[in-house]
Every structure is written in structure tokens, then in C-alpha cells.
Amino acid sequence: MRGDAAMSERTATSLEYPQAGPPVGTVELDFVPVAVPRRNRDGVDGGPDTHQNGDRREEPPAPPARSMAALRERHDGLRDGIVAGRPQGVERQHALGKRTARERIDALLDEGSFIELDMYRRHQAHGLRMEENRPHTDGVVTGSGTIDGRRVFVYAQDFTIFGGSLGAAHAAKIHKVMDLAISTGSPLIGLLDSGGARIQEGVVALSGYGGIFQRSVQASGVIPQISVVLGPCAGGAAYTVALADFAFMVRDTAQMYLTGPDVVEAVSGQRISHAELGGADVHGRRSGVATFVHDDEDGCLQDVRYLISMLPGNNLEFPPRAPSCGATTDVRPRLAEIVPVEPNRPYDMRQVIAELVDDGEFLETHEDWAQNVVCVLARIDGEVVGVVGNQPMVLAGVLDVAASQKAARFVRFCDAFSIPLVTLIDVPGFLPGADQEYAGIIRHGAKLLYAYCEATVPRVHVIVRKAYGGAYIVMDSRTIGTDLSLAWPTNEVAVMGAEGAVNVIFRKELAAAGDPAALRSELVAEYAEQLMHPHYAAERGLVDDVIDPVQTRAVVAQGLAMLRNKRKPSPQRKHGNVPL
């Protein structure tokens, strides 16, 4: 009886609570809660909790007896239904050649490792008939699991629920998993398949995106962030991809753009398909937004796993090491055969990289964009390294606007996550021309210069062949801070090539000569002999050693081992001003 009396007293007190504002210490909700009607003893909604019969007040009947077994059965049934998803939605997803959100998570993570969060979350919006459709998960599956035993956090948008659109509850789930990833120092992976902001929730949906972007910026350089586009990614959602460290896209199913084809046609009159506007190949080859492009989801998710295997969990850790494989004594005769002695003959820098790294395996970023520079993640003697190399097969390996952006972004990522840098130099200069100047080659080239100057990780470069002009300086030269400068006997370090130099220096003499061609040939040979011989830079301390090409893998591995404990404190400042 005392319990009943106390309960009545508390109930009465709660009904008299002031309504002028929220109680101290509570949190105001950013949505209007859906009213839940109360039932009278006859089961009619909206009645009081007791039934009046004249002057006599009747107590409501006691609730039916419940057992733990019944509660568990009900709970399990609800959970199984949520996991199974809506049959029609699942069928449509499969018909489009796409996996469901949960199938993608299963393919990405170690078997049985996924811990789901907020499975029962539902939106609290009302109006526009939203209260009539309140599915659990609200269109995104969030949680944590492992990849090769290493902790990651993941969210996967579910296109079968509201088209994967983002509302307040959807965004709150992503915010939570991002906060956990940051606080635990674990990589974050987003599997994106969404129509964009949920129109029915208005500005609240836009606010949700703002929270994601804010957290992504705060996480930048702290934890690796990976976005995987497996379906539509429209409007503000595209910035989720742009802010990530790596972006994966799947051909035929992934599309990403700020404004869709209908808007483009309405504004400009241009008719364009989804694939032509924002397909995987567009962003892999032209815009450079997509770091990796795959033909199917299986290959895509496997490469995400491979990428994670080479990244640290956060900026306070080192990348995972593999066992040493004897690289410090490894001789590679083929290196002397790959690179021609003639400075103008092309070759594939990827072949050089394959000889330098363990097992010839590497993961190339932006393979189809700005192909005149190659950026890869690989291992040398078990240690993860980032390799940047000029590509003589494309534009003779010159630096241009796109190549400068690509390499700068890669260098900054490696530096943020303690990944040593190996730079392979064979660069004739910056690409000349009005188009490049108008596009801001000075500013974009300065991005790469800034990235190398700022980097504090161990840095080794190898001058394979040409290293001319400002491009030589930008490609991690000794004067901007590389720790170990190596060169092959084929190296030519100079302001410009001998032909160009002679044309400038001896312009008047050549114009007045009876046989300009013979004089030019003589002067070119003289210039090369005096200023471009293999030991010219080494004699002046700008190259530490001129090495036999076949010893390159061994010497680079030795250099990295020597520099492993390098420490270089950053200057005290808020941040630098990158020439964006």
C-alpha cells in the first residue's frame, strides 16, 4: 500500500510540473515528439486512465501477465525483421546489381565481428504523412567491426528505406559513429547509397549534413576516412566524399554530383545522363574526386580491406609492419635494364616501383587521373611507404596542374599518418603553355612544394634520370628537406636540358655562325660535360650518393631503416596557409 500511495503522490506531482520551460539539466529536442494516445479500460484511444461510473471511480484492469520467454520472442522477432529488411526493397536492390547495406558490411568486415548501434532508431518527424512510415534504422546501418582483426567504424546507407535519404535520426546515427571513431582512434568507413537530403524534414536534414562535415574536418589527419560510393550520392552528400582521405566508386551503379541532370538541363539546356555527369569514370579520369574505381562491389570492398591493412588506426600510431624480407641486401639486375640511358626515351615508372617494393605489390591511387605522376602505397622490407614518381610514359613525366594536385594530396596524407616517402625523379620541368598558366600552375605547383616542405616523415629520393628546373626543386629536392638524396649514374640535374641551355646562353653566337648546327652540337656537348655529369650535384653536397641502379632497393631500404626514428617537431603556430 505504501508503494501505491507513493506512486500516486509522484504522479500527482509530475502533473503539476511547471510548463513554462524545460527542467534544468534536460536537453531540448530538435523535433516535435509524436503524441502517443492513452487508452481507457475499454481500449478506446484518447480516454482517461480511469473510467467514471457515476460517483464511483473504477481502477483500470491489471495488465496481462508477461513472461521473459514471451518478451524475448517478441524482441527476437522484431530484430529478425529489421535485419531481413523489406522484401520488395531488397529485391529491387538486387535487381539493380547492388547489395543491401548489411550485405556490404558483411563483405567488408571480418565474419561475425560487426557490432550494430542504434538498430531501433526511428525518425520523430511528423507532417507530410511522415508519422505513417517510421521504419527502424531510418535508412542507415551503423556500428563497428574489424578488418584483419583491426578495429574500424562503419556506416552503410540503406537505399531500401527512404532511398537512403538523410534526415535527423539518420544523421544522428552517423554523428554518433563518427564521434566514436575519433574518440577511439579508429578508421571510419562510409558506404554511401543515398538520394541526398530528406526533403520532408527540410532544414533539419541540411543541419545533419553540417554535423557530418564538421566532424569530418575535425577527424582529418587524426583518423583515416574512407568513402565508398555504391549508388547515388547527390547534392551535399558529395562533400562527404570530397572531405574523405580516399574515395572508392563502382562503375555503372555509382553516380555523384552536386546538381543532377534535370537541374543541369533546366539551367543550361544541356542534356546529359547521370553517368556522363557524375559516373565513376568521370570522377576517376576527369575530376580526380574518385581515388579508386572498380567494376563491381566485391572487388571494391576487397580493396578497401587491402587499403586498411596498410594504414595506421590514427595519427599517433605507425602503419602496421610486415616481417622483414631481406630488402637491405636485395639486388635487382632488371633495374639497370628498365630505364634507358637516353634522356628522351620513355619507360614505365611502375616497372621501377615494382622492382623496389616487396613482392612487386602496390596500391596505386588515382590510377586514371593525372597519369604523368604515379602515387602508390606499398611496403619496402615490411615497412609501409608512399612512393611518388614521375611517369615518362605520359607527357614525358612533366608536372602540370592535375599532377601537382594529385601528388600534393598524397604527400600530405602520408605525412599526417607517419608513412615515409620515397620519391623517384625523372622530370623535365613544368608543362609550358598559356592554358597551364591560366589554370594556375604556379599556385598548384606551390601545393606540392608546400606539402614536401611541411612533411616531417622520413624522406628519401632517387634521381633516376632528368631533374630539371623548378620541377626538380618541387620533387622533394635536398634544398627543401629530403633526408637522403640518391642518384643513378644516368642523373642530369640542371636548370634545363643542354639543348635549351645552349640556345639561351649562345643565342647570338648561333645566329652569327656559318654552321649553327655544328656549333650547337659542340656547345651542347661542352655544357653537358661541365654542368650535367653524374657527379656534379654530388660534388656540391646536393646528392648524398651516386648508386648502381641494381642496388636501389637495398640502399633505399637501408636509408629508411636509418631514418626510422626521425623526429622533427613542427613550429608553434595555429596552422599554415596552404596555397589552395
Side-chain angles (χ1 to χ4, degrees):
M1 297 296 294
R2 291 180 58 84
D4 293 342
M7 180 62 72
S8 299
E9 183 177 349
R10 285 196 297 270
T11 303
T13 303
S14 66
L15 292 174
E16 297 170 0
Y17 198 90
Q19 300 298 314
V24 176
T26 64
V27 179
E28 293 189 16
L29 301 177
D30 60 355
F31 53 81
V32 179
V34 177
V36 179
R38 306 174 73 178
R39 295 177 179 271
N40 61 23
R41 65 177 293 176
D42 296 319
V44 179
D45 291 339
D49 59 348
T50 59
H51 180 69
Q52 298 292 338
N53 184 6
D55 295 330
R56 176 170 165 266
R57 183 180 181 88
E58 295 182 2
E59 296 295 330
R66 294 186 296 178
S67 67
M68 179 57 72
L71 290 173
R72 291 174 64 188
E73 182 178 358
R74 179 181 178 185
H75 168 74
D76 291 345
L78 175 60
R79 188 180 187 90
D80 291 345
I82 295 172
V83 171
R86 300 177 175 182
Q88 292 182 341
V90 172
E91 290 176 6
R92 284 195 300 269
Q93 191 80 343
H94 288 166
L96 293 171
K98 301 195 295 182
R99 292 181 170 186
T100 65
R102 296 182 187 278
E103 290 170 344
R104 289 164 174 166
I105 289 175
D106 289 342
L108 174 66
L109 303 179
D110 296 339
E111 185 176 357
S113 68
F114 183 55
I115 302 170
E116 185 167 353
L117 305 173
D118 281 343
M119 174 186 283
Y120 306 104
R121 192 77 179 249
R122 305 165 79 182
H123 75 75
Q124 305 296 319
H126 71 287
L128 299 176
R129 300 183 178 178
M130 284 294 289
E131 61 275 11
E132 299 175 8
N133 186 12
R134 300 178 61 232
H136 293 92
T137 74
D138 201 50
V140 64
V141 181
T142 60
S144 177
T146 60
I147 292 179
D148 294 329
R150 301 174 63 227
R151 177 65 53 191
V152 299
F153 283 80
V154 62
Y155 66 89
Q157 292 178 314
D158 185 352
F159 196 76
T160 70
I161 297 178
F162 295 133
S165 62
L166 184 138
H170 185 122
K173 291 179 65 173
I174 296 177
H175 295 169
K176 180 185 289 186
V177 83
M178 293 182 77
D179 290 339
L180 288 171
I182 296 169
S183 63
T184 61
S186 305
L188 174 72
I189 304 171
L191 307 180
L192 308 179
D193 190 358
S194 168
R198 191 173 301 165
I199 299 173
Q200 298 94 321
E201 296 196 35
V203 71
V204 175
L206 300 180
S207 175
Y209 274 125
I212 292 173
F213 303 155
Q214 171 70 10
R215 287 166 172 81
S216 184
V217 171
Q218 295 304 313
S220 181
V222 178
I223 59 172
Q225 299 179 79
I226 300 171
S227 289
V228 187
V229 185
L230 301 168
C233 182
Y239 286 114
T240 303
V241 181
L243 291 172
D245 297 306
F246 298 96
F248 290 75
M249 293 187 73
V250 175
R251 289 187 177 92
D252 299 328
T253 58
Q255 303 98 34
M256 177 169 55
Y257 35 66
L258 291 178
T259 53
D262 293 340
V263 177
V264 171
E265 183 177 359
V267 172
S268 67
Q270 178 187 8
R271 287 192 173 185
I272 190 169
S273 69
H274 291 274
E276 292 170 332
L277 181 62
D281 286 326
V282 169
H283 291 300
R285 296 175 182 173
R286 302 189 65 175
S287 74
V289 177
T291 321
F292 305 99
V293 175
H294 291 82
D295 291 329
D296 54 62
E297 291 191 12
D298 287 342
C300 178
L301 296 176
Q302 286 305 308
D303 260 10
V304 174
R305 288 179 60 90
Y306 182 43
L307 174 61
I308 287 291
S309 74
M310 290 193 287
L311 303 182
N314 55 70
N315 65 324
L316 301 180
E317 298 178 0
F318 290 102
R321 283 185 58 85
S324 176
C325 54
T328 55
T329 58
D330 195 355
V331 176
R332 295 299 178 98
R334 192 163 180 269
L335 283 172
E337 303 169 0
I338 295 173
V339 181
V341 174
E342 298 85 357
N344 296 325
R345 282 183 58 192
Y347 63 94
D348 191 347
M349 185 61 81
R350 293 187 186 92
Q351 295 182 17
V352 177
I353 295 172
E355 292 295 318
L356 293 182
V357 303
D358 297 350
D359 302 319
E361 293 184 357
F362 54 83
L363 182 63
E364 183 173 355
T365 66
H366 293 110
E367 182 177 353
D368 297 321
W369 178 59
Q371 295 181 353
N372 41 323
V373 68
V374 179
C375 301
V376 311
L377 289 170
R379 282 187 168 87
I380 295 180
D381 208 25
E383 182 175 5
V384 177
V385 296
V387 182
V388 179
N390 306 110
Q391 176 56 290
M393 292 287 289
V394 180
L395 296 176
V398 298
L399 289 177
D400 61 3
V401 167
S404 299
Q405 294 179 61
K406 172 180 172 178
R409 175 80 168 163
F410 182 77
V411 168
R412 286 177 64 83
F413 174 83
C414 290
D415 184 52
F417 291 101
S418 303
I419 299 174
L421 287 161
V422 176
T423 305
L424 305 177
I425 305 172
D426 190 348
V427 61
F430 284 96
L431 182 63
D435 290 344
Q436 286 290 305
E437 297 295 345
Y438 296 162
I441 183 61
I442 297 172
R443 175 167 45 87
H444 293 293
K447 292 178 183 177
L448 182 54
L449 177 63
Y450 193 106
Y452 271 124
C453 288
E454 188 180 46
T456 60
V457 293
R459 292 152 56 186
V460 177
H461 82 211
V462 181
I463 303 173
V464 176
R465 206 167 54 171
K466 303 180 298 296
Y468 294 162
Y472 155 68
I473 300 173
V474 168
M475 289 294 293
D476 202 19
S477 63
R478 162 64 76 188
T479 51
I480 67 169
T482 196
D483 299 299
L484 182 61
S485 175
L486 306 171
W488 286 8
T490 49
N491 83 83
E492 295 180 354
V493 183
V495 175
M496 62 178 67
E499 288 274 358
V502 165
N503 289 336
V504 172
I505 298 171
F506 300 104
R507 180 180 55 192
K508 293 181 179 179
E509 289 85 343
L510 291 171
D515 188 352
L519 178 60
R520 180 180 292 104
S521 179
E522 178 184 342
L523 293 173
V524 166
E526 181 182 350
Y527 182 92
E529 177 65 25
Q530 294 185 13
L531 298 178
M532 298 178 65
H533 62 80
H535 294 85
Y536 184 85
E539 291 172 357
R540 289 154 179 78
L542 298 176
V543 168
D544 296 305
D545 196 5
V546 178
I547 62 173
D548 188 329
V550 303
Q551 299 288 339
T552 305
R553 172 168 159 81
V555 177
V556 169
Q558 293 167 8
L560 292 172
M562 176 182 72
L563 298 168
R564 187 164 295 142
N565 295 323
K566 174 187 175 182
R567 295 290 183 272
K568 185 178 179 181
S570 300
Q572 294 299 313
R573 57 181 176 181
K574 186 174 182 181
H575 58 72
N577 187 16
V578 184
L580 299 174

